[in-house]
Amino acid sequence: MSAPTPRSARLAQSPAVRLDGRWWLVGGAGAVPVSDPAFTTALDGFAEALSAADRTVADLRARPGEPSASVPNTGGWR
């Protein structure tokens, strides 16, 4: 089960905003509702992936004393 979504949230630094469960594209001239099901599905997936990434980064920052096991030390760029 995913975490509850806020009533309004901007998707990263994009013009996509989710308001009351519906996606909108917002610009200087106003806002347009997103009605294409494939596009809204893609926005939902991207928002979920960003949320998961944010949680992972927060978890990693909560353990600052542990070295990262996922990044091998290669001795420099190749």
Side-chain angles (χ1 to χ4, degrees), residues 7-33:
R7 291 189 63 213
S8 175
R10 181 171 294 275
L11 184 57
Q13 296 174 346
S14 76
V17 176
R18 188 166 181 93
L19 178 61
D20 291 331
R22 185 166 187 189
W23 286 106
W24 296 77
L25 296 179
V26 179
V32 177

Side-chain angles (χ1 to χ4, degrees), residues 3 5 7 13 15 19 27 29 34 37-38 47-49 51-53 57-59 63 67 69:
T5 57
R7 291 189 63 213
Q13 296 174 346
L19 178 61
V34 177
E48 193 171 312
S51 180
V57 169
D59 289 346
R63 300 180 282 152

Side-chain angles (χ1 to χ4, degrees), residues 59-70:
D59 289 346
L60 290 172
R61 287 184 176 160
R63 300 180 282 152
E66 296 181 26
S68 175
S70 62

